Amino acid sequence: MMGNFGYGSCGGFGWIGMILGLVIFIAVIVGFVFLVIWAVRRMSGNSVHPQSPNSTNLTAKDIAKARYAKGEISREEYQQLLSDIGL
C-alpha cells in the first residue's frame, strides 16, 4: 500500500484508465509512423501529383507547352525553346 496513496494501480480510473492509456499510446505510435512516412516521401522528391513540374515523366517540350499555355512565355520564346531543344 505504500506509494499507491489510495488510488489503486491505475491512478484511480481502473480499467478505463488502462484502456484509455493504451489507446493514447497506440495513437502516438501510429502518428509517429505517419510522420516518418511523410518525411521520407518529402525528402525523396516523389510527388503525389503526376503532372507537377517536379515529375520526371515530363519532357522539355511538355514543360515549354505548359508555360506557353499559362502565358508565362511569349510565342517567340516558345519557338526559341523548341529550336534550342532540337524540335
Side-chain angles (χ1 to χ4, degrees):
M1 281 283 179
M2 285 182 69
N4 284 339
F5 302 107
Y7 291 110
S9 61
C10 295
F13 295 104
W15 286 101
I16 295 173
M18 276 190 359
I19 292 171
L20 183 62
L22 182 64
V23 168
I24 291 172
F25 178 73
I26 290 172
V28 168
I29 296 297
V30 169
F32 181 75
V33 168
F34 279 121
L35 181 67
V36 169
I37 291 171
W38 173 81
V40 168
R41 285 185 179 174
R42 177 113 176 156
M43 287 183 183
S44 69
N46 290 343
S47 178
V48 176
H49 307 290
Q51 295 300 324
S52 70
N54 295 334
S55 182
T56 58
N57 60 354
L58 293 177
T59 64
K61 184 177 179 181
D62 294 335
I63 295 170
K65 274 185 183 179
R67 290 185 64 201
Y68 180 59
K70 290 180 187 177
E72 293 177 359
I73 58 175
S74 68
R75 179 177 167 86
E76 293 78 24
E77 290 172 319
Y78 173 70
Q79 290 174 339
Q80 181 64 41
L81 284 172
L82 291 181
S83 68
D84 287 348
I85 60 175
L87 295 176

